[in-house]
Amino acid sequence: MNESIQNRIAQLLAGGVVDMHFDLPMDLYEKRHRKDVLETEFLPQFETGNISVVGAAIYIEDHYLPEAGLRIALDQIARLYAETAASNRFAICKSFREIQLARETGKIAFLITMEGVEPLGNDLNQLRVYYELGVRSIGLTHARTNAAGHGGIFAADGSPPEGLTAFGREVVRQCETLGVIIDLAHINPAGFEEILSITTKPPIVSHTNARRYYDIERNISDEQIKMIGERRGVIGVNSILVSPRTEESTLDHYVDHIEHIAKLIGIDGVGIGFDFFEFIYLQWPESRRKELAKKLTTPHFIPDLTNHSHARNLAERLIDRGFSDADIEKILRGNWLRIFEELL
Ligand SMILES: [Zn+2]
């Protein structure tokens, strides 16, 4: 790579990269008996990739539900706070101003998010508690059905036809009142439309892919992409569901998803939600991988986009594909920062 391209990549990354979906708290919890996991296992990759803001997603795996959902969620948040306190390189942020402050002092900002409201049970009061703990973005469901609604399935059709439950609608309204971003990732098509009908603020889809290239209801259709665009929302592109085929799971195809969304709703509507998952997948025994394949899918990891250090590869590929510097900066951080400024 010639020097001028290297300089251009360095300049593009210097302002930071925002990744709106990372299953970090779950991994910190599984490694709760180790010390300094953030500094030893994650910081080097964050630094290489100039990662500036990470959506740290609370997610409760099936085997903890239903009884332990609340406790595991609190434990995940506790580990994130403990690990953050043990380092001077990170900050848990609850507002746009706090994100700005973290950046000014060279810290990586965590925004705590929730993927599936299982931790709330069916108790709306607990939403306030999680808000106080710092949760600032909530997606109602993962692929499962829960007290709020139904997740989109990993097939072209067959998701439950119902929208949200009464509880789900209450959660959405309360999120808008409190100032919690509503994340439409994973929700089934009926729930997607219902959320848009009862909210007014820009919606986000933290991590998803275009159904045009991977036609499952867990992903987002052209119509849905346009609905997000009309409301000035942002869609984060996921790295592990770019294609149903291994050989098509490439960095170029990841950029195809970005291009497709930008073509439909403009460059202001697309961001990053890497959803890096290979490091967790590799820790699993064969039996759990098989269970995932049976329940959902086998993820196809993009070889040169499997961890945060690879944000550099993405910046380089966006340059190769002819994106302007201004557009690359919007994709890497600017669009998400606009959402944070507006909503947090
Ligand atoms: Zn997800």
Side-chain angles (χ1 to χ4, degrees):
M1 197 192 313
N2 73 40
E3 207 179 313
S4 76
I5 294 281
Q6 289 218 26
N7 288 340
R8 197 171 154 198
I9 293 169
Q11 271 174 15
L12 286 168
L13 292 174
V17 174
V18 180
D19 174 11
M20 253 321 257
H21 188 83
F22 190 39
D23 286 315
L24 176 67
M26 174 172 126
D27 193 58
L28 294 179
Y29 174 70
E30 296 302 328
K31 295 172 180 165
R32 59 196 175 278
H33 303 300
R34 291 190 215 167
K35 272 190 156 180
D36 300 325
V37 177
L38 265 184
E39 286 230 346
T40 58
E41 296 189 24
F42 293 100
L43 184 59
Q45 293 169 351
F46 286 152
E47 283 189 324
T48 305
N50 280 74
I51 305 302
S52 55
V53 184
V54 176
I58 300 164
Y59 172 72
I60 311 298
E61 293 172 279
D62 291 352
H63 60 274
Y64 291 123
L65 293 172
E67 286 79 13
L70 167 67
R71 184 171 63 77
I72 303 293
L74 293 177
D75 271 340
Q76 289 184 3
I77 295 173
R79 288 317 305 156
L80 189 69
Y81 271 93
E83 285 277 337
T84 299
S87 166
N88 60 4
R89 296 302 322 283
F90 301 97
I92 293 171
C93 297
K94 299 179 179 178
S95 65
F96 179 63
R97 184 69 200 122
E98 287 184 9
I99 291 170
Q100 283 181 309
L101 276 175
R103 295 309 298 150
E104 283 161 17
T105 51
K107 294 183 179 185
I108 295 163
F110 290 131
L111 194 70
I112 304 178
T113 69
M114 188 179 273
E115 183 173 37
V117 295
E118 282 83 357
L120 306 179
N122 55 11
D123 182 358
L124 196 63
N125 274 314
Q126 290 186 24
L127 183 57
R128 168 75 67 172
V129 175
Y130 284 105
Y131 176 81
E132 295 297 338
L133 291 174
V135 172
R136 287 296 180 272
S137 174
I138 290 183
L140 292 185
T141 69
H142 188 253
R144 304 175 287 236
T145 285
N146 64 22
H150 309 277
I153 63 168
F154 284 64
D157 53 62
S159 291
E162 300 87 26
L164 310 185
T165 63
F167 175 67
R169 287 189 288 274
E170 283 303 312
V171 171
V172 169
R173 288 193 192 100
Q174 181 87 1
C175 280
E176 272 217 323
T177 306
L178 285 170
V180 174
I181 300 167
I182 295 159
D183 181 358
L184 292 158
H186 284 289
I187 193 80
N188 66 335
F192 189 102
E193 285 200 38
E194 192 172 359
I195 292 171
L196 290 180
S197 76
I198 57 176
T199 55
T200 58
K201 293 178 182 170
I204 73 160
V205 190
S206 64
H207 62 300
T208 193
N209 294 93
R211 288 186 68 166
R212 177 190 162 92
Y213 297 122
Y214 191 169
D215 188 19
I216 51 177
E217 291 195 320
R218 180 259 174 270
N219 284 337
I220 186 171
S221 70
D222 287 2
E223 282 309 304
Q224 289 175 317
I225 292 169
K226 288 178 194 162
M227 289 183 223
I228 298 293
E230 277 162 22
R231 294 271 296 269
R232 300 172 47 253
V234 175
I235 298 164
V237 178
N238 189 333
S239 70
I240 60 175
L241 293 171
V242 300
S243 168
R245 282 171 288 280
T246 311
E247 65 276 13
E248 286 176 7
S249 299
T250 64
L251 188 50
D252 261 313
H253 205 34
Y254 182 88
V255 175
D256 291 339
H257 285 259
I258 292 177
E259 252 177 18
H260 180 65
I261 295 167
K263 198 181 79 197
L264 289 175
I265 62 174
I267 199 75
D268 292 347
V270 61
I272 301 298
F274 287 126
D275 196 11
F276 290 135
F277 184 67
E278 191 188 48
F279 73 104
I280 291 173
Y281 194 72
L282 294 176
Q283 295 170 45
W284 283 1
E286 191 58 32
S287 58
R288 279 195 73 185
R289 295 182 197 179
K290 280 193 176 143
E291 197 185 309
L292 182 75
K294 206 172 106 205
K295 275 190 191 162
L296 303 177
T297 185
T298 298
H300 297 300
F301 305 112
I302 297 171
D304 39 2
L305 195 64
T306 55
N307 69 62
H308 285 100
S309 74
H310 292 159
R312 306 190 76 80
N313 299 340
L314 174 60
E316 186 188 354
R317 194 58 55 96
L318 289 168
I319 292 171
D320 289 346
R321 295 275 293 259
F323 285 83
S324 71
D325 285 5
D327 285 356
I328 295 174
E329 289 183 5
K330 283 183 177 181
I331 296 163
L332 295 181
R333 61 179 169 275
N335 292 334
W336 283 134
L337 293 175
R338 167 177 64 82
I339 292 287
F340 301 154
E341 184 169 18
E342 209 164 313
L343 300 184
L344 299 179

